[in-house]
Amino acid sequence: MKLILTNEVSGLGAPGDVVEVKDGYGRNYLIPRGFAMRWTRGAEKQIETIRKSRDAREIRDLGTAKEVAGQLGALRVRLSTRAGDSGRLFGSITTGDIADAVKAAGGPVLDRRRIEIVNPIKSVGSHKVKVKLHPEVSAAVDVEVVAG
């Protein structure tokens, strides 16, 4: 199935890219969630518009992405949550929780979809979280989880 991506899809491409995917993946996941649209000759004309807006955003964002990465590197993020006696959390820390904590700590507003947690945060302590600000720029944020 030939599709045009409308949003960035990790491991597949960026907005405006034409990709070939399995029928089920496109029909059941990408199209219903708004990540892609079917490729047609009419839709082919929209690709140029999508690419131009993406290029304008990326050029503008590259400089600001480096500034934001510097801000995030110097930031101390502290999250208070419920935990048991052994330091194990009731539940886990989500990307939305981290985005809110960064904003509360005086950092920039982050999109929760740009935050990558390698291993689920389910214990008290210090954890590293990766934030993908731009295709060329990513930052690491230290998140300290404390029992509250």
Side-chain angles (χ1 to χ4, degrees):
M1 173 181 267
K2 205 170 186 182
L3 296 174
I4 301 169
L5 296 179
T6 56
N7 287 329
E8 184 175 343
V9 179
S10 180
L12 193 59
D17 290 348
V18 177
V19 294
E20 187 78 29
V21 297
K22 300 266 184 177
D23 290 348
Y25 182 52
R27 189 175 50 248
N28 298 328
Y29 181 75
L30 294 174
I31 294 173
R33 287 179 173 76
F35 293 147
M37 58 192 229
R38 290 187 186 274
W39 180 89
T40 60
R41 287 191 189 131
E44 182 76 35
K45 294 175 185 172
Q46 292 178 340
I47 292 174
E48 195 59 37
T49 308
I50 293 171
R51 285 188 181 150
K52 282 181 183 176
S53 65
R54 181 183 78 188
D55 291 342
R57 251 192 337 266
E58 283 183 358
I59 291 169
R60 218 177 19 240
D61 286 344
L62 182 59
T64 57
K66 289 180 181 177
E67 291 175 18
V68 170
Q71 290 175 357
L72 290 175
L75 197 64
R76 299 273 307 152
V77 178
R78 206 176 153 107
L79 260 161
S80 178
T81 187
R82 291 182 40 204
D85 294 333
S86 63
R88 187 156 172 84
L89 301 182
F90 297 122
S92 64
I93 301 297
T94 63
T95 56
D97 296 334
I98 293 170
D100 293 340
V102 167
K103 184 178 175 185
V109 177
L110 296 176
D111 184 7
R112 65 175 179 79
R113 294 171 292 201
R114 299 277 184 183
I115 300 172
E116 298 175 358
I117 301 174
V118 179
N119 296 323
I121 300 174
K122 295 186 175 190
S123 63
V124 173
S126 183
H127 302 275
K128 280 246 189 243
V129 176
K130 184 178 175 186
V131 180
K132 190 171 184 179
L133 300 168
H134 187 270
E136 300 172 15
V137 180
S138 61
V141 178
D142 288 321
V143 178
E144 186 179 344
V145 180
V146 294

